[in-house]
C-alpha cells in the first residue's frame, strides 16, 4: 500500500476553514485514496448537523462556488467551484454515531474516516487492513440491497484499485444484480464510463458478465454470446467484440506510448490470440503523437475521444444478432446492414443511459462507418484521391477515430486467410490514417467558388442540384484536378451539360 500523502485539495481546505470547530469527518474515497498514496479531487464529508448550511458555508469559503442538493433522499449537498477543479459532497451523519454511519457504507475500504481538522484514521471495520491485502469486502450484509448500484461499484473499485472481491461480496452482488434495473440510468452510466475507461477494463467487463450485471445494464452486449460468424472469424460475435475492444485499447496505448490494457481470458473455449505490439506500432508510425493528442481531447460526459472509441468498439457489432442470415446459395453467414442498424442501436443504448447528444452522435458515427475502410481494400491500389475524399467526407468528424476502430476490428478477425487480409487492410489503413489526420488538422480545401456564384454563372436555381455540383467540385479539387475558379466553372458547366449526378457514398 502506498504511503500517505499530505497533498490537500482546495475543496478540503475550504471545508476545514468553513467547518472549523464543528463535528465533521472526511470519509470514503478521499480517505481511502490518501491511504493508497493516490491524489483525489473529490471529497466526501459527513457532518453532525445540517449539510445544507455546511455546504453554503464551504461555498462561501471557496469563493463563490456553487452548491446544490445532490440527493433529497439522503440529504446530501455538493459544492463545486467555478472552474470545476474539485467537488465536495456533504452528507448528514446517519445512525446516530460515526461508527453506525460507517457501517451503512458500501465496502470496508470506503468505511474509513478522519476528523476533518486532521487526526488518526477511524477504521472500525478494518478497511485499512483490507487495502493492504488488496481485498474488497462489504461493509455490512445489506450493502447491495440498500443500493444495487454497488454491484457496478464493486466492479469499478476492483479494476480501478486492483482489488479482489471476497466470496461474500461476490455472492451478494450476484443476488442483487437484477435490481440494477431500478437504478437511475445516469448513475449506471457513471459507473460504466469509469469501468470502461480503466486499463483493466476487459477484466471489468468479464466480472460484470459473471455477476449478471451486463445482462441488466447492457443486455445488447450479452446478447452477442453464441452468435456464430463465418469462416473468416475465429470467435463468435461476443468474443470478437471483446477482442476488438482490447485491440482498440492497444492502439490507444501505442498512440500514447504507454502500456496496453490488461487482457482478460475469454470463457468461450477458444485459444486466445496473443496481441502483437508491432501491429499497432506499424499502423501509427510517425503519427503516434498526433493520434495520442487527438484521443486525449475531451469529448463529452467526462470522456475523452479515446474513451469514446472504446464505446464504439464495444457496440460496433451490436446489431449482428438482429441482422444475421444464412445465404441459401452457399450457406454463408451474413450480417448485411449491421452497420446502419448498429448505429441506431448504439444511439438508443446511450440514450437509455441518459448520455449527452454529442456522445450519442459520436459513437453512432463510429458504428455506422466502421466497415467503410474494409470495402476500400478491394478498390484499385493505391486509392485514388477522389476515393480518399469520399471516405473522409463520409466519416467526418470521426475520420481518424473510425480508421483506428476499423484496424482494431480487422486485427481481431483471424479466421481463414487472416494474414493476407490483415496485411492488405493495414496497408490501406496506414494511408488513410495519414490523410485523416491531415483532414482533421486542415479541413477540406476551401471552395473555389460559392454556391450562389455557381448558380448565377450556370443559370440554374439554388437548390439541391447546386449542392451536388459543389460536392463534385470539392472532390475534383481535393484530387488536384481543379485549382482555380475558372476551372471550377468549366467543370461545372460540363457536369450540367452531361446531367451528371454524384453517386451516393
Amino acid at each position: 500500500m502506498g504511503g500517505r500523502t499530505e497533498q490537500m485539495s482546495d475543496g478540503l481546505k475550504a471545508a476545514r476553514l468553513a467547518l472549523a470547530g464543528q463535528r465533521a469527518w472526511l470519509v470514503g474515497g478521499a480517505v481511502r485514496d490518501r491511504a493508497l498514496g493516490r491524489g483525489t479531487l473529490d471529497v466526501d464529508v459527513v457532518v453532525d448537523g445540517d449539510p445544507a448550511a455546511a455546504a453554503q458555508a464551504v461555498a462561501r469559503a471557496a469563493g463563490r462556488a456553487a452548491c446544490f442538493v445532490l440527493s433529497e433522499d439522503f440529504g446530501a449537498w455538493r459544492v463545486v467551484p467555478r472552474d470545476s477543479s474539485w467537488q465536495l459532497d456533504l452528507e448528514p451523519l446517519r445512525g446516530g454515531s460515526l461508527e453506525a454511519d460507517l457501517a451503512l457504507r458500501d465496502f470496508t475500504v470506503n468505511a474509513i474516516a478522519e476528523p476533518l481538522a486532521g487526526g488518526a484514521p477511524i477504521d472500525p471495520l478494518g478497511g485499512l487492513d483490507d487495502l493492504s491485502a488488496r481485498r474488497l469486502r462489504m461493509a455490512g450484509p445489506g450493502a447491495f440491497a440498500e443500493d444495487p448500484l454497488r454491484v457496478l461499484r464493486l466492479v469499478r473499485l476492483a479494476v480501478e484499485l486492483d482489488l479482489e472481491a471476497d466470496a461474500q461480496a461476490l455472492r451478494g452482488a450476484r443476488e442483487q444484480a437484477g435490481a440494477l434495473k431500478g437504478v437511475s440510468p445516469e448513475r449506471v452510466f457513471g459507473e460504466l464510463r469509469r469501468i470502461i475507461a480503466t486499463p483493466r477494463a476487459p477484466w471489468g467487463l468479464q466480472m460484470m458478465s459473471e455477476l449478471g450485471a451486463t445482462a441488466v445494464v447492457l443486455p445488447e452486449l450479452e446478447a452477442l454470446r453464441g452468435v456464430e460468424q463465418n469462416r473468416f472469424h475465429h470467435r463468435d460475435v461476443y468474443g470478437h467484440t471483446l477482442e476488438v475492444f482490447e485491440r482498440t485499447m492497444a492502439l490507444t496505448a501505442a498512440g500514447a506510448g504507454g502500456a496496453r490494457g490488461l487482457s482478460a481470458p475469454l470463457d468461450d473455449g477458444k485459444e486466445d490470440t496473443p496481441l502483437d505490439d508491432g501491429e499497432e506500432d506499424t499502423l501509427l508510425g510517425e503519427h503516434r503523437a498526433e493520434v495520442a493528442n487527438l484521443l486525449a481531447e475531451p469529448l463529452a460526459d467526462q470522456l475523452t475521444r479515446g474513451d469514446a472509441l472504446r464505446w464504439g468498439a464495444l457496440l460496433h457489432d451490436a446489431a449482428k444478432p438482429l441482422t444475421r442470415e444464412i445465404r441459401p446459395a452457399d450457406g454463408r453467414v451474413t450480417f448485411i446492414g449491421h452497420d446502419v442498424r448498429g448505429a441506431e442501436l448504439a444511439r438508443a443504448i446511450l440514450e437509455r443511459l441518459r448520455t449527452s447528444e454529442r456522445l450519442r452522435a459520436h459513437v453512432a458515427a463510429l458504428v455506422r462507418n466502421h466497415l467503410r475502410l474494409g470495402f476500400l481494400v478491394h478498390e484499385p491500389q493505391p486509392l485514388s484521391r477522389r476515393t480518399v475524399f469520399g471516405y473522409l467526407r463520409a466519416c467526418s468528424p470521426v475520420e481518424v477515430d473510425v480508421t483506428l476502430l476499423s484496424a482494431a476490428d480487422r486485427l481481431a478477425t483471424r479466421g481463414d486467410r487472416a494474414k493476407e487480409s490483415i496485411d492488405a487492410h493495414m496497408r490501406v489503413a496506414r494511408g488513410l490514417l495519414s490523410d485523416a489526420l491531415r483532414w482533421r488538422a486542415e479541413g477540406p480545401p476551401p471552395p473555389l467558388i460559392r454556391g450562389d456564384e455557381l448558380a448565377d454563372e450556370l443559370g440554374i436555381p439554388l437548390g439541391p442540384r447546386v449542392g451536388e455540383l459543389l460536392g463534385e467540385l470539392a472532390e475534383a479539387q481535393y484530387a488536384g484536378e481543379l485549382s482555380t475558379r475558372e476551372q471550377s466553372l468549366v467543370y461545372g458547366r460540363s457536369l450540367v451539360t452531361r446531367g451528371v449526378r454524384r453517386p451516393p457514398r
Side-chain angles (χ1 to χ4, degrees):
M1 185 167 64
R4 292 172 57 81
T5 176
E6 295 305 317
Q7 183 178 2
M8 190 188 308
S9 76
D10 290 338
L12 181 53
K13 291 177 184 177
R16 286 182 169 176
L17 177 63
L19 305 180
Q22 298 187 38
R23 283 167 50 84
W25 299 268
L26 191 66
V27 297
V31 182
R32 178 200 68 217
D33 288 346
R34 280 156 59 86
L36 289 171
R38 293 162 50 102
T40 181
L41 297 174
D42 297 345
V43 178
D44 296 320
V45 174
V46 164
V47 294
D48 187 8
D50 181 9
Q56 291 162 8
V58 173
R60 287 192 297 270
R64 296 171 57 195
C67 68
F68 50 88
V69 175
L70 184 63
S71 169
E72 293 185 357
D73 291 339
F74 295 104
W77 280 66
R78 174 167 291 175
V79 182
V80 180
R82 283 174 289 180
D83 62 1
S84 299
S85 58
W86 51 267
Q87 70 180 37
L88 186 141
D89 293 346
L90 296 111
E91 310 166 19
L93 185 70
R94 295 184 295 167
S97 70
L98 179 62
E99 288 72 16
D101 183 286
L102 295 176
L104 293 172
R105 296 188 174 271
D106 50 10
F107 305 104
T108 59
V109 297
N110 289 336
I112 312 166
E114 284 182 9
L116 181 60
I122 303 165
D123 182 23
L125 302 179
L128 289 173
D129 286 342
D130 286 335
L131 281 177
S132 295
R134 318 305 299 182
R135 184 170 53 232
L136 196 52
R137 292 190 300 121
M138 294 186 294
F144 295 108
E146 181 177 339
D147 184 2
L149 183 70
R150 292 170 175 175
V151 175
L152 291 179
R153 191 173 301 149
L154 175 82
V155 177
R156 193 251 297 170
L157 291 173
V159 294
E160 279 189 344
L161 303 179
D162 191 18
L163 304 178
E164 184 174 352
D166 71 357
Q168 187 177 10
L170 292 174
R171 184 167 56 252
R174 287 192 188 95
E175 290 172 355
Q176 292 296 324
L180 280 165
K181 63 180 178 293
V183 177
S184 72
E186 295 88 348
R187 297 182 72 215
V188 168
F189 178 72
E191 296 293 338
L192 286 178
R193 69 171 177 80
R194 292 180 63 172
I195 292 169
I196 290 171
T198 65
R200 292 172 56 86
W203 287 94
L205 291 170
Q206 177 176 308
M207 191 174 179
M208 280 175 53
S209 181
E210 291 174 352
L211 293 176
T214 306
V216 180
V217 299
L218 284 177
E220 297 84 358
L221 180 60
E222 200 68 21
L224 304 181
R225 287 185 181 275
V227 180
E228 295 298 332
Q229 308 195 77
N230 58 41
R231 61 188 177 89
F232 299 107
H233 286 266
H234 65 296
R235 294 195 186 278
D236 68 4
V237 181
Y238 182 83
H240 168 73
T241 293
L242 293 194
E243 193 167 333
V244 172
F245 185 86
E246 291 190 18
R247 292 283 179 179
T248 299
M249 291 181 64
L251 281 169
T252 56
R260 67 169 73 251
L262 300 176
S263 303
L266 297 174
D267 58 355
D268 60 358
K270 306 286 182 63
E271 182 179 353
D272 286 332
T273 304
L275 302 183
D276 182 353
D277 289 316
E279 291 166 329
E280 288 82 20
D281 292 336
T282 301
L283 172 65
L284 301 181
E286 71 274 18
H287 301 300
R288 180 191 300 270
E290 290 176 88
V291 170
N293 290 336
L294 172 75
L295 296 176
E297 290 179 6
L299 179 71
D301 301 334
Q302 301 180 57
L303 299 180
T304 65
R305 290 181 79 101
D307 296 332
L309 184 58
R310 295 188 183 192
W311 280 87
L314 206 58
L315 301 178
H316 80 286
D317 278 350
K320 276 191 170 179
L322 306 177
T323 56
R324 187 180 189 274
E325 293 183 354
I326 299 177
R327 199 160 59 190
D330 56 7
R332 181 172 176 173
V333 175
T334 66
F335 301 98
I336 297 171
H338 79 272
D339 50 346
V340 177
R341 293 193 65 181
E344 297 169 352
L345 186 57
R347 174 177 280 279
I349 291 168
L350 293 172
E351 184 175 356
R352 184 179 73 223
L353 293 171
R354 302 291 195 271
T355 69
S356 67
E357 170 56 26
R358 187 174 186 189
L359 182 62
R360 297 176 205 170
H362 187 92
V363 175
L366 291 173
V367 176
R368 173 64 183 86
N369 294 296
H370 80 275
L371 297 178
R372 287 186 185 274
L373 193 155
F375 294 146
L376 298 184
V377 172
H378 306 290
E379 295 283 325
Q381 303 295 326
L383 296 175
S384 73
R385 300 312 293 168
R386 281 179 172 266
T387 299
V388 172
F389 177 84
Y391 174 81
L392 297 175
R393 180 169 55 185
C395 295
S396 183
V398 297
E399 63 282 345
V400 177
D401 319 64
V402 80
T403 301
L404 298 173
L405 176 58
S406 176
D409 192 13
R410 180 65 262 184
L411 289 170
T413 306
R414 295 178 178 269
D416 289 359
R417 297 169 53 192
K419 186 180 187 311
E420 60 187 274
S421 297
I422 288 173
D423 289 346
H425 194 103
M426 298 300 276
R427 280 194 297 272
V428 175
R430 280 192 293 273
L432 286 175
L433 180 62
S434 179
D435 288 317
L437 286 165
R438 189 178 308 110
W439 177 281
R440 175 149 186 84
E442 303 172 3
L448 298 169
I449 187 170
R450 296 200 315 264
D452 58 336
E453 295 174 336
L454 182 65
D456 287 343
E457 292 283 355
L458 300 182
I460 61 176
L462 288 171
R465 179 62 177 133
V466 173
E468 292 175 358
L469 291 170
L470 288 173
E472 287 285 347
L473 295 179
E475 185 175 288
Q477 181 183 353
Y478 184 85
E481 300 166 13
L482 304 175
S483 58
T484 68
R485 183 178 187 277
E486 290 69 27
Q487 289 175 338
S488 295
L489 285 172
V490 170
Y491 185 53
R493 287 193 183 96
S494 71
L495 293 175
V496 170
T497 300
R498 299 200 308 266
V500 174
R501 290 289 192 274
R502 179 166 54 87
R505 294 191 182 277

